[in-house]
Amino acid sequence: MIEWMQKHKKSLIPTIWISTIAFVGAGFVGWGAYDMNANRAGSIARVGQISITNQELNTKYSELYNRLSAMSDGQFTQEQAKNMHLDQIAVDQLIGEAYFLNFAKDLGIQASDKDVAEFVVSSPNFQENGAFSKELYDNVVRNSGLTKKEFERNLQKVLTLEKLGKALKITPSPKIVEAFAASQLMQDKVSAEIIYADANVTFSDDELKKFWEGEKSHFMTEKKYTLGAYFVAPSKADVNETELSKFYKEHRGEYRSLDDKLLDFAEAKPDVLKDYRMDQVKKDATKDYLEIKKGKLDTNETIVATASNFPISEIEVAKPGDVIKPFEYKGGYLIAKLNGVEQPRQMSFEEAKSLASKEFETKKRKELLEKRAQDALKNFKGEDFGMLSLNSKNNTKLSDDEFYKFLIDMFNKPAKEGIVMFDNKAVVYKISQQSLGNSEEIDKEKAIVADRITALLNSNLQDDLTKMLEKRYKTERYFKGKDSE
């Protein structure tokens, strides 16, 4: 999930309306103890002529948080959001949108108040029994945590980007679509043999040492952080029912079923109790953090932390002597003081032996598999895989992912024989006959292919245009991150 977000953090001209509805439906996700909402109108960045406000950042943060929460069936947490720097991803997306909003302004493209009004009235999200409901609309706006003016300004931005997207959209020519459709339906009569890697690969210490000598700069110890730690655990004492009910009412938008319906107090109570206790212990930990920072309270435990045993993102930017703000750790909150840092160093052969053995074993297994595959191609004994196209269904002993990789690799190579390598197997194949799909089949494929090519062309256009706009509009970024305050 974290990789997906990083990859798409600069996505521009997004379908923001969909995510805005998701945000409205799921309720506002707050920033926690270090909220930056004191000045909602303050700027966190400026791109060209457009200022990005705290309100927009909080809205975008909530939108992304709720989307990730829905993707993980409600398992996504604030700690995960912090670890992946979701606040910075939200800023990146807002800056990306601002590039295109500036561009739209320069082109004279703008959603009017009338456009916003027509959209609101016609949207199914604000209708009851097929007709616009002002009461429903007012409730949605109120639940969003925004004023009506802010909500409608966000809609205007969405509709402006939508207009720009339509104006920039590229449609492929019919000839290109037909050529691609024909390639999708090209069929090859294939015979193939699956060659499996050896389960056991043996080698001597001398072979391993020779491998390590050539790769030893890659075998480094982990960076180590010596921490003075102070752990604050949640109380197990009984909780006043009135206080618990009050906490639920303040955060009720966060308690939802898998089908996104609000849970009542009784249904949500176990989670409410857990969250209430964590909320209380966070307040206690914040007080202890201030006492430790002033030198009035000492840490009581030493932790040697590395990336493999600790949430390292919480401490990696700290300097020796820094006291880190409390963060969630093993069911409570941890306050850490960075006492020292040991930089990575090159491992000795004995230290690296276990890791080097695994890498060398993988390398040797692959080499042996490649040799066996080459021998099998020379003395080919493949079985009939039938007529295959890029749309063929898997009827082999390969997994679906392996089968479709095999198809793509095979159709991308001009030769009529070859080898497709996988981690633990190889497919050796020969093509004995080739044919194109008939005109009727090509016509059926055209609509699907047109959508694929359109998406690809517009994605490439968007990437190129983004690079141009980054140079065209000056960007000033004031927001340093929630954890940097």
Side-chain angles (χ1 to χ4, degrees):
M1 184 182 297
I2 292 176
E3 291 175 357
W4 179 85
M5 286 298 299
Q6 292 293 346
K7 181 179 178 182
H8 293 84
K9 69 181 181 180
K10 287 192 176 180
S11 292
L12 305 175
I13 322 182
T15 52
I16 309 168
W17 171 244
I18 296 171
S19 51
T20 301
I21 289 298
F23 154 63
V24 169
F28 188 79
V29 179
W31 285 87
Y34 305 102
D35 199 338
M36 54 176 292
N37 275 332
N39 177 13
R40 284 168 61 87
S43 280
I44 56 100
R46 184 174 180 83
V47 180
Q49 303 177 56
I50 294 172
S51 289
I52 300 170
T53 66
N54 282 327
Q55 174 264 310
E56 290 175 299
L57 174 55
N58 280 300
T59 300
K60 176 63 72 175
Y61 180 90
S62 294
E63 167 199 319
L64 295 176
Y65 184 95
N66 287 320
R67 191 189 303 172
L68 289 169
S69 182
M71 288 168 61
S72 63
D73 291 331
Q75 300 303 306
F76 188 68
T77 66
Q78 286 284 8
E79 183 178 5
Q80 288 173 301
K82 190 186 295 184
N83 288 341
M84 70 184 288
H85 304 294
L86 190 62
D87 54 348
Q88 296 290 359
I89 293 171
V91 174
D92 288 340
Q93 286 207 0
L94 288 168
I95 288 173
E97 291 165 14
Y99 287 136
F100 280 81
L101 288 168
N102 275 286
F103 191 46
K105 192 170 185 178
D106 289 349
L107 295 176
I109 295 174
Q110 173 72 45
S112 66
D113 291 343
K114 182 182 177 183
D115 292 329
V116 174
E118 288 177 349
F119 181 85
V120 168
V121 170
S122 61
S123 172
N125 297 286
F126 309 123
Q127 292 181 352
E128 287 183 343
N129 300 320
F132 172 69
S133 168
K134 186 175 184 304
E135 182 181 357
L136 176 58
Y137 177 63
D138 290 342
N139 285 337
V140 169
V141 173
R142 187 163 48 251
N143 291 336
S144 74
L146 306 175
T147 66
K148 186 171 287 189
K149 186 176 180 181
E150 289 169 339
F151 188 88
E152 291 178 353
R153 187 167 61 239
N154 284 353
L155 281 184
Q156 188 175 45
K157 180 176 77 170
V158 170
L159 296 175
T160 297
L161 288 171
E162 195 175 89
K163 279 190 173 186
L164 178 65
K166 289 177 180 177
L168 296 175
K169 186 176 180 181
I170 299 174
T171 303
S173 71
K175 285 187 177 180
I176 291 176
V177 172
E178 186 167 358
F180 271 84
S183 70
Q184 289 288 108
L185 294 170
M186 182 180 291
Q187 291 185 320
D188 290 346
K189 185 172 178 56
V190 179
S191 295
E193 181 181 0
I194 302 173
I195 309 296
Y196 294 92
D198 291 329
N200 298 312
V201 177
T202 60
F203 46 84
S204 67
D205 268 9
D206 287 343
E207 287 179 285
L208 178 60
K209 194 163 189 177
K210 185 178 179 181
F211 168 75
W212 170 77
E213 286 285 353
E215 303 287 337
K216 59 184 178 181
S217 61
H218 299 156
F219 297 100
M220 305 291 289
T221 61
E222 288 189 276
K223 189 174 183 178
K224 293 179 181 177
Y225 302 82
T226 303
L227 306 173
Y230 190 92
F231 182 71
V232 188
S235 169
K236 294 183 179 179
D238 291 339
V239 177
N240 181 287
E241 194 79 4
T242 303
E243 284 295 310
L244 203 60
S245 177
K246 180 182 176 184
F247 182 84
Y248 164 76
K249 288 175 182 175
E250 290 170 352
H251 301 85
R252 64 178 308 209
E254 299 174 23
Y255 300 104
R256 294 180 170 271
S257 63
L258 293 178
D259 57 357
D260 205 36
K261 291 181 180 177
L262 283 172
L263 299 175
D264 61 30
F265 179 61
E267 294 171 317
K269 191 173 179 180
D271 288 332
V272 175
L273 179 59
K274 179 182 174 183
D275 293 345
Y276 175 82
R277 283 178 168 156
M278 286 298 287
D279 182 69
Q280 296 303 303
V281 76
K282 185 174 183 179
K283 292 174 183 176
D284 293 339
T286 302
K287 293 175 186 175
D288 291 336
Y289 158 74
L290 295 173
E291 293 294 293
I292 291 172
K293 199 168 184 182
K294 292 174 184 175
K296 295 181 179 180
L297 182 66
D298 291 328
T299 56
N300 55 13
E301 183 184 356
T302 298
I303 295 176
V304 178
T306 65
S308 61
N309 69 2
F310 196 83
I312 216 74
S313 62
E314 302 289 349
I315 61 172
E316 60 186 351
V317 297
K319 300 183 291 293
D322 285 355
V323 180
I324 292 96
K325 291 175 182 178
F327 53 90
E328 287 189 40
Y329 181 75
K330 293 186 177 179
Y333 275 85
L334 187 73
I335 305 157
K337 181 178 181 181
L338 182 58
N339 292 329
V341 180
E342 181 183 317
Q343 296 297 331
R345 60 172 175 79
Q346 189 173 291
M347 292 180 178
S348 67
F349 175 65
E350 289 303 319
E351 287 176 315
K353 193 171 182 179
S354 177
L355 289 172
S357 292
K358 292 177 183 176
E359 287 197 17
F360 186 50
E361 182 181 343
T362 300
K363 180 175 182 288
K364 192 162 184 178
R365 180 178 285 110
K366 184 178 179 182
E367 289 172 350
L368 291 171
L369 178 61
E370 286 177 344
K371 185 178 183 306
R372 289 183 60 198
Q374 291 289 353
D375 290 343
L377 188 58
K378 290 176 186 175
N379 306 290
F380 189 72
K381 298 176 182 176
E383 61 181 83
D384 184 15
F385 269 35
M387 294 296 292
L388 299 180
S389 73
L390 286 170
N391 293 329
S392 291
K393 292 188 177 177
N394 182 18
N395 291 310
T396 72
K397 293 178 182 178
L398 298 170
S399 71
D400 286 346
D401 285 346
E402 290 170 340
F403 178 69
Y404 294 120
K405 180 184 184 304
F406 163 66
L407 286 180
I408 290 168
D409 281 11
M410 183 180 68
F411 278 99
N412 280 340
K413 292 175 182 176
K416 290 190 175 183
E417 62 179 43
I419 299 169
V420 179
M421 298 294 299
F422 299 97
D423 289 339
N424 61 347
K425 61 177 73 75
V427 180
V428 180
Y429 67 89
K430 286 195 175 185
I431 299 169
S432 58
Q433 181 183 333
Q434 292 182 313
S435 65
L436 291 173
N438 60 47
S439 57
E440 188 177 320
E441 289 173 324
I442 291 173
D443 285 341
K444 287 180 182 177
E445 189 73 12
K446 280 181 183 178
I448 299 171
V449 169
D451 287 342
R452 289 175 186 164
I453 300 174
T454 299
L456 180 62
L457 289 173
N458 285 283
S459 176
N460 290 338
L461 169 67
Q462 183 174 302
D463 289 342
D464 292 341
L465 190 52
T466 299
K467 291 173 186 174
M468 184 271 285
L469 297 178
E470 285 174 347
K471 296 175 183 176
R472 181 169 180 170
Y473 301 114
K474 181 181 177 182
T475 301
E476 298 175 52
R477 187 174 183 137
Y478 316 127
F479 180 71
K480 301 299 182 185
K482 186 173 77 165
D483 302 324
S484 302
E485 295 179 9

